């Protein structure tokens, strides 16, 4: 129930962002050390070709039968600024946070953390577009590469006990990767 309430709060907070996003939206997949999964992006123009982005992402699998229960999930939220958004090479900077979890029968492995990152968004098809009419259309497909600093707390437990093992990790530089289609 707690996770449903948190998801509803996040979705409610995103309604004004989505309603005022006049520039573009994006959808794709994301992998980074804190969380990953399917990502939806909303871009809000700030000045010129600079835009603020808000990108919730997540994925989950739930399998249950009479003998066991398996749950895998990953969810997070990224926000930041992207510069020169319409060019084939767009730098960006931001912060993000997320959580991952694996529950197998009575074993729980949960992690949460945050990261600060900088990166480049590349439009590989736009590089090769010769006709000016197709430059904008070919720039909709983007590949994101980013690096930064992440901090993560991992908690593990066995047999319905409290969290028996807690580990804290941080890493610099880390790496993140994403693919998206923007419109």
């Amino acid at each position: 129930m707690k996770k449903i309430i948190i998801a509803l709060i996040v979705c409610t907070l995103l309604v004004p962002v989505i309603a005022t996003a006049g520039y573009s939206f994006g959808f794709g997949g994301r992998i980074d050390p804190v969380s990953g999964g399917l990502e939806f992006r909303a871009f809000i123009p700030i000045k010129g070709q600079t835009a603020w982005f808000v990108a919730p992402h997540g994925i989950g699998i739930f399998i249950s039968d009479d003998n066991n229960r398996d749950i895998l999930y990953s969810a997070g939220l990224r926000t930041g600024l992207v510069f020169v958004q319409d060019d084939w090479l767009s730098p960006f900077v931001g912060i993000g946070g997320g959580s991952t979890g694996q529950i197998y029968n009575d074993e729980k492995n949960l992690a949460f953390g945050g990261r600060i990152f900088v990166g480049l968004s590349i439009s590989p098809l736009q590089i090769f577009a010769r006709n000016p009419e197709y430059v904008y259309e070919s720039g909709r497909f983007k590949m994101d590469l980013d690096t930064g600093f992440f901090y993560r707390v991992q908690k593990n437990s066995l047999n319905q006990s409290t969290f028996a093992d807690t580990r804290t990790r941080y890493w610099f530089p880390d790496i993140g990767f994403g693919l998206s289609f923007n419109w």
Side-chain angles (χ1 to χ4, degrees), residues 80-147:
L81 297 173
V82 61
F83 307 97
V84 200
Q85 189 175 13
D86 291 335
D87 284 356
W88 71 273
L89 187 63
S90 305
F92 60 88
V93 60
I95 61 171
S99 175
T100 59
Q102 302 168 351
I103 300 171
Y104 299 111
N105 296 330
D106 293 332
E107 181 181 345
K108 295 179 186 175
N109 301 308
L110 304 175
F112 57 91
R115 69 190 291 257
I116 300 169
F117 56 89
V118 297
L120 294 172
S121 185
I122 303 164
S123 298
L125 301 177
Q126 193 172 10
I127 297 169
F128 302 110
R130 303 275 185 229
N131 190 341
E133 295 175 13
Y134 300 116
V135 170
Y136 176 75
E137 294 297 323
S138 62
R140 292 181 174 198
F141 174 71
K142 299 271 191 179
M143 292 181 356
D144 294 342
L145 299 168
D146 56 69
T147 186

